[in-house]
Amino acid sequence: MPHAAAATPQLLRRVNAQAVLRHIRGADVATGTELMALTGLTRASVIAVCEDLIGRGWIVELDQPRNEPHAGRGMPPVPRKGRPARRFAFNREAGFVLGLDIGAATTTAAVADLRGRVIGRSSGSFRAADIPALERIGVVDLACRKALEAAGADPGRVLAVGAGIAAPVDRDGNVLVTQRFWSLFDVGLRSALKELHGWTVLLENDANLAALGERWRGSGVGVDDLVVLLAGERLGAGVMESGRLLHGRGGAAGEMGYLDMVEGVGSSDGIAALVRQWSAADGGPSAGGPASAPRVFADAAAGDAAALAILDRISERMARVIASIASLINPEQVVIGGAVAESAGVLLPGITALLPRFTATPPRVTVSPLGDAIVTAGAVRHALDYVEANALELALPAPA
């Protein structure tokens, strides 16, 4: 029978430091007394850990408030009794993280501080989907450098990069290349950015990152059994079960190719693609111009018969898609995400009404408030998770 590792002084110090840092990171300000109550450590241990974390750059000690408490209006200040409590705060600018959304046509880079506040963003376009690996890396790198410049952040202070791509990625960050389209994203991005900047790059499927972003800052906050459908050009799903992402053996959990075999669906085309196809077949939107989901849905709201028919067709199709997911996975909530989410709210009544017809376990269906930032939000969260898990091993760069 294996034995647990001995609780060495080094291990205890590490556990204590992780506990203190976790609580400080979750609060605006924490006092030594509060940290004692939260961790169960003695005052001496708390102060020793805080001094160490200050030396490492993870936290800062705040000055004491200038204003003394007053006994009442017009009364002189009441002298403080004893030594004032030491106050500590997380150093949100100890470093930065990058969140990348790398699609077939465009890439977006977002720079965030260590509390996840985005402070710089930049996008770039690829001249074609099928371009050489070095060219794709160059466009991504340029977007990263421009985002960092916009944020006023030095590339040397990036602690981790979360990167979402439109292809399955396994738990070790390897791209599944069994389809030609997926292979376009197998460009060696991790090693390239490591060589260029020394960055740790965490590669992940874009829909998986969308699920992380939605659970962090979208309509799925706190939901453990969650599916996010990126529903623009092609459908792809990020699946969370009991609060953990599902990958499958090769990272292909959530791929929607099976929809080719689902009655009444027949393909993994997304909402934007379907609107274009069906609108063109019906002679285009009533007011002329290019078909788009927002335009067609606006026409439907105005009573246009052709647009209403498209809305009904998409509602039924999405209800069948969501019902197939519900029957297999039984999530609490399914979120329609991506750039199309802003206009997809009009579909919810129809989808919700139809779901019981197709599944005995209908989930709650919502649209994401994150819009086309959903993948970068999840990529930032992915990078922050890495930083938080490895904080005591990371050597923070010196402030500029």
Side-chain angles (χ1 to χ4, degrees):
M1 181 177 178
H3 296 283
T8 64
Q10 293 84 355
L11 178 60
L12 289 174
R13 282 196 295 270
R14 176 185 175 80
V15 171
N16 292 344
Q18 287 174 328
V20 169
L21 182 56
R22 181 173 64 254
H23 288 298
I24 293 178
R25 189 168 50 230
D28 292 330
V29 179
T31 66
T33 301
E34 290 168 343
L35 292 169
M36 289 169 58
L38 290 168
T39 64
L41 299 174
T42 65
R43 182 175 297 278
S45 294
V46 165
I47 297 304
V49 168
C50 287
E51 295 285 3
D52 179 56
L53 292 173
I54 290 171
R56 291 171 179 260
W58 285 110
I59 68 173
V60 294
E61 184 169 4
L62 303 178
D63 294 334
Q64 295 300 321
R66 292 185 178 182
N67 296 329
E68 298 287 344
H70 287 258
R73 184 183 297 271
M75 300 294 289
V78 177
R80 293 185 181 272
K81 295 183 178 180
R83 181 181 302 175
R86 297 180 68 175
R87 303 161 67 244
F88 305 98
F90 181 63
N91 183 7
R92 65 190 302 161
E93 296 183 352
F96 302 95
V97 297
L98 275 166
L100 309 182
D101 178 5
I102 304 170
T106 62
T107 186
T108 297
V111 182
D113 64 23
L114 297 186
R115 284 204 186 276
R117 180 174 63 98
V118 173
I119 56 175
R121 189 182 292 271
S122 181
S123 296
S125 298
F126 304 112
R127 62 179 176 83
D130 192 355
I131 59 176
L134 288 178
E135 183 178 347
R136 189 174 295 276
I137 290 168
V139 174
V140 173
D141 180 51
L142 180 60
C144 291
R145 289 186 282 113
K146 285 185 174 180
L148 287 164
E149 183 179 355
D154 189 282
R157 301 190 65 211
V158 173
L159 300 180
V161 180
I165 61 173
V169 180
D170 69 15
R171 297 179 187 90
D172 298 320
N174 301 307
V175 182
L176 185 64
V177 294
T178 55
Q179 290 190 13
R180 170 63 179 161
F181 180 76
W182 295 344
S183 70
L184 299 178
F185 298 91
D186 188 27
V187 297
L189 184 69
R190 290 186 297 172
S191 57
L193 294 183
K194 184 74 171 180
E195 184 176 342
L196 285 169
H197 304 292
W199 295 341
T200 295
V201 178
L202 312 164
L203 209 60
E204 183 56 273
N205 171 259
D206 55 358
N208 283 352
L209 292 184
L212 287 181
E214 191 68 21
R215 188 170 182 264
W216 181 37
R217 288 188 168 168
S219 66
V221 171
V223 177
D224 286 342
D225 297 291
L226 177 73
V227 173
V228 173
L229 276 174
L230 292 183
E233 293 300 319
R234 290 183 69 256
L235 296 175
V239 181
M240 300 198 77
E241 198 278 329
S242 298
R244 298 180 61 183
L245 280 174
L246 290 184
H247 286 88
R249 180 170 63 90
E255 287 299 319
M256 308 297 284
Y258 76 92
L259 293 174
D260 295 354
M261 300 174 283
V262 175
E263 181 182 354
V265 181
S267 77
S268 58
D269 289 341
I271 292 172
L274 293 173
V275 164
R276 283 200 308 273
Q277 294 169 26
W278 295 343
S279 179
D282 291 337
S286 59
S292 66
R295 182 181 183 85
V296 170
F297 293 159
D299 286 348
D304 181 80
L308 283 167
I310 290 174
L311 187 150
D312 288 343
R313 288 179 69 186
I314 292 179
S315 294
E316 178 172 341
R317 184 158 171 150
M318 290 302 297
R320 290 177 181 268
V321 170
I322 293 170
S324 72
I325 293 170
S327 298
L328 287 169
I329 300 170
N330 189 27
E332 174 184 341
Q333 181 178 353
V334 173
V335 181
I336 298 172
V340 75
E342 185 175 346
S343 59
V346 68
L347 300 172
L348 293 184
I351 292 171
T352 301
L354 288 167
L355 274 176
R357 178 175 143 197
F358 301 125
T359 178
T361 57
R364 182 171 76 256
V365 183
T366 63
V367 295
S368 173
L370 300 178
D372 59 5
I374 190 170
V375 175
T376 53
V380 165
R381 183 64 262 171
H382 195 35
L384 289 174
D385 287 343
Y386 172 85
V387 171
E388 292 171 8
N390 296 279
L392 300 181
E393 285 76 39
L394 294 173
L396 294 178

